């Protein structure tokens, strides 16, 4: 479940900082960036990543299913 994001009145997109929890209530925070700005150590994920594809068009409070390897 998405618990917070920086652009509360808009859908998640470039530059959004998204906080979410997984099914075990572990909290994560990621920033959505261009492909050239990806830095996994800083939790910067690209607009082309599977994570972004799952978050695209979502807002705070939305439930999202993300399949991870």
């Amino acid at each position: 479940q998405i618990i917070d994001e920086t652009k509360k009145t808009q859908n998640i997109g470039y530059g959004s900082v998204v906080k979410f929890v997984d099914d075990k209530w572990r909290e994560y925070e990621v920033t959505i960036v261009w492909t050239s700005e990806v830095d996994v150590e800083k939790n910067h994920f690209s607009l082309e990543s599977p994570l972004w594809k799952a978050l695209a068009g979502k807002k705070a409070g939305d439930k999202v299913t993300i399949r991870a390897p």
Side-chain angles (χ1 to χ4, degrees):
Q1 179 177 11
I2 300 168
I3 57 173
D4 190 21
E5 59 95 10
T6 55
K7 299 176 183 176
K8 293 189 185 305
T9 60
Q10 300 176 2
N11 291 344
I12 296 168
Y14 173 78
S16 292
V17 177
V18 183
K19 292 180 183 178
F20 59 95
V21 294
D22 66 12
D23 59 349
K24 295 181 181 164
W25 295 100
R26 292 177 292 205
E27 189 171 310
Y28 300 89
E29 180 175 300
V30 300
T31 302
I32 306 301
V33 298
W34 299 118
T35 303
S36 61
E37 301 171 315
V38 169
D39 186 335
V40 177
E41 290 181 12
K42 293 182 179 177
N43 290 328
H44 290 180
F45 289 86
S46 122
L47 290 165
E48 297 177 11
S49 70
L51 177 63
W52 157 248
K53 290 176 183 175
L55 295 174
K58 305 298 188 231
K59 294 182 180 178
D62 288 350
K63 291 189 179 192
V64 178
T65 299
I66 301 173
R67 299 205 190 285

